Every structure is written in structure tokens, then in C-alpha cells.
Amino acid sequence: MLYLLQFACLIFMFICAFFIAVTRLHVRWINRRYEWSRWMIFAALLFMAVHFFLQMYFGFRAMGAAVGAVINALVYLPCFTLFSMAIYNIEATHTKRRKMNLICAAVYAAMLAAFAAGYSFSGSLNIGAWLYVMLALFFGNMVYCIYMVKKEMTKRKRILETMAATDMVPFLRYARASVVMLLLTAVSMPFAILSTKSLYIVGPVGLLVLLFFIVNFVAFGNCYVPTEELLDRERGNGETDADDEQTTAESCARQSAADSDRSEQRLSAERSAFIQAALDKWCADMGYKDSSVNMLTLSHSLDINKNELTQFFSQCQNTTFRIWLSEIRFNAAKRMMMEYPDYSNDIISSECGFSSRSYLYIVFKEKEGCTPIAWRDKQA
């Protein structure tokens, strides 16, 4: 029974790795940050596949729960860390990613040292009390990774809600899948490592959770925008990593000071009227048709400070950029449906700046309580 489960896991890991690799051929644009995460997941899946092959060939788990726990800890920690880093890599900035990488590498080095010490004292894979040192490091690393991923996801969600105007559903589904995968892994790992009998329950559940995460990860890649782009931290031509970190730190300091000063002020009537006129002209020129527009690109195109735009939407419109632009696109879609009744919803969503047809459906359900097709029928 154990052999069959290991064989099923081996095949499953190879299939998932193949799926992750092949979907690279179908991306609409290359995003370096997302691709790094893709290949980290690919490496983790291949490592797990090799692990299950070695388990079948050498029978480590069959030698006893203690020996199986040692091997599992040595393999599962780097695989779990690779998955966590792949998720964190999408969410966090360059400096924070480096810090997490160093901490996780240090924990794994400590685990290898504990294993080496236990093996040298016992002369076998049954390393006695050193196993619990390895498990303590393992679970400490898991808690740290989950905390950091959850923290950055919450931060990124706030940024997207403030600055982006695309469909939030793909990110929310991906975030939910990521957190579920990490939490269930953390809960199930003690049983998977220390108890052979529990593997017959934990194993299949873990495979389903992993599949759920991979499908959401691939779907999320179609609309992923790095946080740096939304925060105006894109690396300039010829800049090094050190230059990028220094520039980012200085930019954040200046931005924080500017935000603090502006938060205590209100826009003057003249400035509000100027911004309103600029936005009206932008709408008349159909700038909303650009589905990739965000607060940063809008402020650049209007030559108006991003924080002033935020203040304008908050103080003068009692709304946010995201809600305001959604309303503009929604009204444009209704006008186009009335003027061109033969146009499909795909054409309507594309022409009005919606990132996808599904996002058009979401907006109509939210504002009209029905689908675009049902709304057209009501107007006929």
C-alpha cells in the first residue's frame, strides 16, 4: 500500500511539473518575476518526484518511522521553502525577498548540521534526539514562511485596491489557494513525517491541495503585475541591484514624507477644478480603454502627482480610483451595447478597457444585478 502511494505521488509530481513547464508556452507576455516563481515551483516538484523515487527504491519509510521522518524533513523543508519563496517572490519587493532567502537558507544549513551531528554520533539514519532538533527547525521555518507570505499578501492587496483598476478576482483566488496550501501543509506535516499510517489520508489530500494551488498559479499569470510597477520602483536602464535598493529606499523615504504633508492639506478649489478637467479630457480621449492603466500611469499621462489624484478621488468624489474607473468603463459599456447591439461581450469588454469578459460580468452583476446579456434584453 505504501509503495503504491509513493508511486502515485511520483507520477503526480511529474505531471504537475510538466504542466507548469508547458504552460510557459502559452503566456501572453513574459514577466520575469512570475517566471522565476514558475521555475522555483518546477524545481520543487521535480525534487519531490526524485524523493518519492528514492523512497520507493531504498525503502526509507519502510525502515521505520524515525528514519522516514529524517529523510522527509531533509526533503520537505527545501521543497516547502521553494513554494513559499515562489509565492513571496510575486508579492514582495527585492530587498525583502533577499532577506527571506537568507533566513531560510540559514535554517536549512542548521538542519543539515543537526543531521550531520546525529549521524556522526549514531552511525546510522536513526539519529535519535537530533531528529527533534531537525523537526523544531523545520516547523520554525514553516511558521516564518507562512507569516511572511500572509503579511505581504495583505500589503499587496491594499496596493492593488488603491492603485490598480483590473479584476481583483484572480489575485484573490491565487492568494486563497496559496494560503490554503501553506496552512494545510503546516497542519498535515507532523502526521506525514512522524506517522506512516496517516500518510494514507494526508497524502491524497495534500495532492489535491497542491493541484488547486498550481491551477490558480497558472491562471494568475495571465494578469500578474509586479508590485514595483505599481509603486513606481521599476529598475532603470543600467542600474544594479544595489542601486535599485538604494533608490527604492530613498524614494520610499521621500514619498512617506510627502504623503504625511499632503494628508494634512485639502486640495484648493482651483486645483480640484484643474484635475477634474484633466480627467474629463482623459475620458473624452477614451484613455479608459487601456486595460493596463493604473494610478501611476494615469498620473504620468495627466502630469498630476499621484497623491493629488488620490486626494481628489477621496475628497471631491468620495470614492477611490478603482471604483471611479470601474464606473467610467461600466457606463461606456452600456452606451456601446445600446449603440452596437450586435457587438459581442468580448468586443465590448475589450473596447471599454475591462481586463476580461469575466470582469465585465462581475461589474454588471454588482451594479445592475444581472448579466450583460440580461441587461441588453431589458433594454430591447
Side-chain angles (χ1 to χ4, degrees):
M1 184 67 178
L2 178 62
Y3 187 87
L4 291 177
L5 177 61
Q6 292 171 343
F7 179 73
C9 291
L10 169 67
I11 298 301
F12 182 85
M13 294 302 166
F14 273 127
I15 292 175
C16 288
F18 177 77
F19 178 66
I20 283 285
V22 167
T23 52
R24 167 66 180 80
L25 303 175
H26 300 280
V27 296
R28 289 182 292 178
W29 58 80
I30 296 178
N31 188 307
R32 285 196 307 166
R33 178 78 70 85
Y34 179 81
E35 293 306 318
W36 292 342
S37 293
R38 179 198 300 278
W39 298 120
M40 279 191 277
I41 294 174
F42 177 79
L45 292 170
L46 282 187
F47 193 20
M48 288 293 290
V50 171
H51 162 68
F52 287 119
F53 174 79
L54 294 177
Q55 285 277 14
M56 294 168 59
Y57 188 80
F58 292 103
F60 293 120
R61 173 63 67 170
M63 295 179 186
V67 174
V70 170
I71 301 301
N72 286 342
L74 288 172
V75 174
Y76 289 163
L77 178 61
C79 290
F80 179 84
T81 302
L82 278 173
F83 273 104
S84 301
M85 287 180 176
I87 298 170
Y88 195 78
N89 176 60
I90 288 179
E91 306 296 332
T93 56
H94 176 82
T95 306
K96 293 183 178 180
R97 295 199 311 274
R98 175 181 293 182
K99 177 183 176 182
M100 182 175 179
N101 293 347
L102 290 175
I103 291 176
C104 290
V107 172
Y108 191 59
M111 176 181 281
L112 291 176
F115 170 73
Y119 187 82
S120 63
F121 283 119
S122 64
S124 68
L125 292 176
N126 195 343
I127 61 176
W130 286 99
L131 171 61
Y132 298 101
V133 177
M134 294 176 62
L135 292 179
L137 291 169
F138 180 85
F139 295 122
N141 184 81
M142 291 179 66
V143 171
Y144 170 74
C145 288
I146 293 172
Y147 168 75
M148 295 301 292
V149 166
K150 189 69 173 66
K151 178 181 176 182
E152 291 302 321
M153 279 186 167
T154 302
K155 191 181 300 182
R156 179 175 172 80
K157 182 182 177 182
R158 287 200 300 265
I159 294 172
L160 288 172
E161 288 175 340
T162 303
M163 299 188 65
T166 55
D167 186 7
M168 284 284 291
V169 172
F171 171 75
L172 295 176
R173 287 175 177 167
Y174 160 77
R176 192 179 300 116
S178 300
V179 173
V180 167
M181 189 202 73
L182 293 177
L183 290 179
L184 286 183
T185 301
V187 171
S188 63
M189 274 301 175
F191 304 98
I193 290 178
L194 297 174
S195 173
T196 301
K197 292 182 179 179
S198 65
L199 286 176
Y200 303 126
I201 299 175
V202 173
V205 173
L207 297 182
L208 289 176
V209 172
L210 180 59
L211 179 62
F212 175 59
F213 166 75
I214 289 175
V215 170
N216 277 275
F217 175 81
V218 171
F220 179 65
N222 291 325
C223 58
Y224 170 65
V225 178
T227 302
E228 283 89 335
E229 292 185 15
L230 296 177
L231 294 176
D232 195 19
R233 296 178 184 174
E234 291 181 287
R235 190 175 302 170
N237 293 331
E239 284 184 333
T240 63
D241 288 347
D243 294 335
D244 184 46
E245 292 179 25
Q246 182 178 0
T247 302
T248 299
E250 293 174 353
S251 175
C252 287
R254 291 195 301 269
Q255 192 69 44
S256 177
D259 289 348
S260 178
D261 292 339
R262 290 191 179 93
S263 63
E264 301 175 358
Q265 303 174 359
R266 289 190 64 85
L267 291 173
S268 64
E270 294 79 5
R271 190 60 180 171
S272 298
F274 174 80
I275 295 175
Q276 182 66 66
L279 289 172
D280 290 342
K281 184 178 185 305
W282 182 79
C283 292
D285 294 338
M286 299 184 179
Y288 58 83
K289 295 177 69 173
D290 180 7
S291 61
S292 64
V293 68
N294 56 54
M295 180 72 86
L296 181 63
T297 58
L298 178 62
S299 68
H300 285 174
S301 63
L302 299 181
D303 197 22
I304 297 174
N305 186 276
K306 174 176 66 67
N307 297 289
E308 282 190 316
L309 280 176
T310 302
Q311 283 182 290
F312 174 80
F313 290 124
S314 176
Q315 298 174 8
C316 303
Q317 302 288 331
N318 293 319
T319 187
T320 64
F321 164 69
R322 179 181 179 78
I323 297 175
W324 172 83
L325 185 54
S326 177
E327 188 71 26
I328 295 295
R329 288 170 171 169
F330 171 66
N331 291 329
K334 290 198 297 185
R335 289 194 302 270
M336 183 169 285
M337 287 177 180
M338 296 295 292
E339 294 175 10
Y340 305 99
D342 295 333
Y343 279 14
S344 67
N345 289 328
D346 285 318
I347 295 176
I348 296 293
S349 61
S350 177
E351 287 296 314
C352 294
F354 290 98
S355 55
S356 64
R357 182 180 62 179
S358 62
Y359 190 27
L360 176 67
Y361 273 72
I362 290 172
V363 173
F364 261 86
K365 290 288 287 185
E366 178 184 319
K367 296 183 179 296
E368 294 290 342
C370 62
T371 65
I373 295 176
W375 185 85
R376 289 193 200 212
D377 294 338
K378 290 180 181 179
Q379 309 307 311

